[in-house]
């Protein structure tokens, strides 16, 4: 089945610096790639997503890139702020066989933004 | 207010004592799902439901049951809980019956400890 690997597991940056989190997936049937942010003690919330017909998507300080050939996708956060500190999860979704599709999550990256 | 609710939020129980965690959404969503979150493992899908009376196994269904008798409710049942089911559980829903190709709305989570 599909497997999503996420790196790094922890990331510490200075306020104002950029942060990059990378994910790889194994199944070429994956065609939807969301990113979720989970603050301490809170529920995961979607922050950005990208579909396989698009190579890059940007929303203010966050952007996601997708390389279908290499099966890589990445989250980029620019001008980081302390409120960006959280655990970030990548995920991949596709029809892997069966009547519906699955959402497979990476193992998460703890981002700490130092003021 | 559009939301996914779960109850209870915290639960301590003993091995073998049946329990139910309720999940309810008020957004008329077709797709509902249960995940468990464990350190270093990310979010793993337990069961999902595409609509009333339609449920299927996710990646880690052993030891769990679900039902979908009404569109808004999707309870998770542990018939005979064991310590390895100690985890943080999230219910999620999305609009489309295909479920995972769009935003998942997560409940607040239920932290379960099985002694």
């Amino acid at each position: 089945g599909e497997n999503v690997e996420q790196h790094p597991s922890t990331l510490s940056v200075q306020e104002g610096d950029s942060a990059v989190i990378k994910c790889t997936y194994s199944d070429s049937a994956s065609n939807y790639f969301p990113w979720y942010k989970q603050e301490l003690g809170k529920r995961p919330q979607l922050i950005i997503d990208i579909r396989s017909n698009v190579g890059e998507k940007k929303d203010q300080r966050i952007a996601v890139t997708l390389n279908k050939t290499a099966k890589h996708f990445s989250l980029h956060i620019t001008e980081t702020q302390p409120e960006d500190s959280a655990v970030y999860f990548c995920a991949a979704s596709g029809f892997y066989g069966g009547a519906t599709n699955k959402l497979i999550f990476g193992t998460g990256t703890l981002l700490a933004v130092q003021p | 207010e559009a939301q996914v609710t779960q109850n209870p939020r915290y639960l301590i129980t003993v091995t073998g004592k049946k329990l139910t965690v309720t999940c309810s959404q008020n957004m008329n969503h077709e797709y509902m799902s249960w995940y468990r979150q464990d350190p270093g493992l990310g979010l793993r899908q337990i069961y999902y439901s595409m609509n009333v009376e339609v449920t299927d196994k996710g990646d880690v269904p052993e030891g769990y049951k679900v039902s979908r008798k009404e569109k808004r409710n999707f309870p998770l049942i542990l018939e005979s809980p064991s310590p390895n089911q100690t985890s943080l559980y999230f219910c999620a829903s999305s609009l489309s019956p295909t479920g995972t190709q769009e935003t998942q709305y997560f409940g607040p989570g239920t932290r379960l400890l099985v002694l």
Side-chain angles (χ1 to χ4, degrees), chain A residues 31 36 38 43 51 93 101, chain B residues 37 98 100-101 104 106:
Chain A
N31 58 4
Y36 284 82
Q38 186 180 26
R43 71 194 78 188
R51 298 187 188 273
S93 170
N101 44 23
Chain B
Q37 183 177 11
T98 58
T100 59
Q101 295 274 299
Q104 302 282 297
F106 284 85

Side-chain angles (χ1 to χ4, degrees), chain A residues 31-32 34 36 38 41-46 49 51 87 89 93-95 99-108, chain B residues 4 9 31 35 37 40-43 45 48 50 57-59 88 90 97-104 106-108:
Chain A
N31 58 4
Y32 172 67
Y36 284 82
Q38 186 180 26
K42 301 284 182 65
R43 71 194 78 188
Q45 291 191 300
L46 181 75
D49 57 11
R51 298 187 188 273
V87 177
F89 291 98
S93 170
F95 286 93
T100 188
N101 44 23
K102 287 187 169 183
L103 188 63
I104 309 297
F105 284 87
T107 51
Chain B
V4 180
R9 296 289 314 280
Y31 184 93
Y35 296 90
Q37 183 177 11
L41 297 177
L43 290 136
Q45 189 179 52
Y48 64 90
M50 289 193 286
K57 297 177 180 178
D59 293 319
L88 176 60
F90 286 101
T98 58
T100 59
Q101 295 274 299
E102 57 187 82
T103 307
Q104 302 282 297
F106 284 85

